């Protein structure tokens, strides 16, 4: 999609700043690496403060959730990153506290994540053995991965933009949003046509093409199913999209 030039009604970020906000990855390490290449090739010397904001949902559904977390948590990415928590990471962490959460998490692709960490999920496929699966996972999950997941913030703000995974509750200040809404909200947020105070950049709700509305930008193009990972590039000069495919 063509870039939108800076002008009336177009929000911006501080001079010298460029933000790449990346949508839901869902275990597609191949697309993450491809997006990294696209971002590094896009950088230029005039940008003194590049930042890559990941909007959550690194795990589940796709085949390489462990590989995605390893790449992001080990500082291998070639630019400064800020990884926000998504609802799928929240389910993963909840499962570590309560094995019964797997009954819900497995419906969201959690078994694929467990398998990527070398956990035997044969009993879980039959709807049983959740405690044993949790014990295996806790033993196999690297401490660095767990810290990375636990330390993820729920939001980030820069210039005229507010970044989160799912969205925000209308008519409530951005500094007073509930974690449940930042991770899970959908229709109430998507259908709201008014101002949120800043442009909300989010994922969580897959769309066939990235969406740019007056009050929000959606970059979740369903990477797991479509093999297309999308990022929006935000800078003083305007806004544009990058796309990564196999």
């Amino acid at each position: 999609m063509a870039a939108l030039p800076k002008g009336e009604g177009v929000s911006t970020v501080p001079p010298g700043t460029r933000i790449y906000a990346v949508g839901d990855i869902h275990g597609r390490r191949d697309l993450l690496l491809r997006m990294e290449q696209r971002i590094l090739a896009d950088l230029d010397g005039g940008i003194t403060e590049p930042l890559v904001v990941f909007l959550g949902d690194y795990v589940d559904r796709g085949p390489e959730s462990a590989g995605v977390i390893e790449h992001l948590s080990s500082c291998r990415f070639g630019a400064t990153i800020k990884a926000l928590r998504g609802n799928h990471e929240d389910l993963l962490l909840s499962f570590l506290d309560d094995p019964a959460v797997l009954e819900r998490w497995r419906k969201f692709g959690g078994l694929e994540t467990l398998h990527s960490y070398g956990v035997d999920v044969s009993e879980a496929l039959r709807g049983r053995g959740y405690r044993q699966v949790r014990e295996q996972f806790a033993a196999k999950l690297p401490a660095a991965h767990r810290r990375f997941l636990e330390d993820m913030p729920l939001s980030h703000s820069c210039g005229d933009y507010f970044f989160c995974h799912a969205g925000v509750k209308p008519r409530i200040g951005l500094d007073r949003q509930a974690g449940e809404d930042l991770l899970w909200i959908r229709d109430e947020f998507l259908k709201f046509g008014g101002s949120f105070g800043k442009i909300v950049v989010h994922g969580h709700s897959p769309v066939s093409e990235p969406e740019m509305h007056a009050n929000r930008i959606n970059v979740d193009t369903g990477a797991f199913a479509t093999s297309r990972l999308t990022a929006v590039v935000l800078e003083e000069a305007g806004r544009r999209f990058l796309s990564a495919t196999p």
Side-chain angles (χ1 to χ4, degrees):
M1 186 175 293
L4 294 181
K6 181 182 176 184
E8 184 178 357
V10 177
S11 300
T12 188
V13 295
T17 300
R18 180 182 292 166
I19 296 179
Y20 299 85
V22 183
D24 305 31
I25 298 169
H26 280 306
R28 291 297 301 266
R29 179 177 177 272
D30 59 331
L31 297 180
L32 169 63
L33 297 180
R34 180 62 179 146
M35 179 59 76
E36 181 178 18
Q37 294 173 353
R38 293 295 313 277
I39 290 172
L40 295 180
D42 187 72
L43 289 173
D44 57 64
I47 301 301
T48 57
E49 296 188 48
L51 176 66
V52 183
V53 177
F54 290 96
L55 298 171
D57 281 8
Y58 315 97
V59 303
D60 297 351
R61 299 190 174 127
E64 295 186 88
S65 293
V68 170
I69 298 300
E70 172 62 22
H71 191 72
L72 294 178
S73 67
S74 62
C75 301
R76 294 179 186 173
F77 201 88
T80 301
I81 73 168
K82 181 174 286 291
L84 305 184
R85 185 181 298 187
N87 60 310
H88 287 255
E89 289 74 53
D90 204 56
L91 283 170
L92 182 158
L93 293 170
S94 296
F95 171 60
L96 288 170
D97 291 331
D98 179 6
V101 170
L102 188 54
E103 185 61 33
R104 183 185 186 195
W105 186 28
R106 65 192 292 236
K107 299 172 184 176
F108 287 83
L111 296 185
E112 288 85 346
T113 295
L114 294 168
H115 180 72
S116 77
Y117 278 96
V119 174
D120 181 357
V121 297
S122 56
E123 287 297 294
L125 283 168
R126 300 177 175 88
R128 60 196 188 203
Y130 293 170
R131 184 171 299 278
Q132 290 75 19
V133 170
R134 184 266 171 205
E135 290 172 357
Q136 281 191 60
F137 183 46
K140 290 178 178 291
L141 180 67
H145 288 205
R146 185 163 185 168
R147 285 195 302 270
F148 179 70
L149 292 161
E150 290 175 339
D151 290 345
M152 286 177 176
L154 297 182
S155 66
H156 177 67
S157 184
C158 181
D160 297 326
Y161 297 98
F162 181 84
F163 305 85
C164 63
H165 175 62
V168 300
K169 196 171 186 67
R171 302 183 182 90
I172 293 180
L174 295 176
D175 60 345
R176 296 187 291 112
Q177 292 290 322
E180 181 79 5
D181 290 320
L182 293 170
L183 293 172
W184 290 94
I185 199 169
R186 191 159 272 147
D187 288 350
E188 186 178 3
F189 165 68
L190 298 175
K191 294 177 180 179
F192 184 72
S195 173
F196 297 114
K198 292 191 176 189
I199 305 295
V200 177
V201 184
H202 67 97
H204 186 60
S205 298
V207 287
S208 58
E209 296 290 335
E211 296 179 336
M212 195 172 294
H213 300 273
N215 61 356
R216 63 180 181 87
I217 300 171
N218 184 359
V219 290
D220 181 7
T221 48
F224 161 66
T226 66
S227 293
R228 181 186 179 196
L229 182 63
T230 297
V232 62
V233 187
L234 308 169
E235 53 196 334
E236 189 181 14
R239 310 183 296 213
R240 54 195 168 87
F241 292 109
L242 289 180
S243 182
T245 56

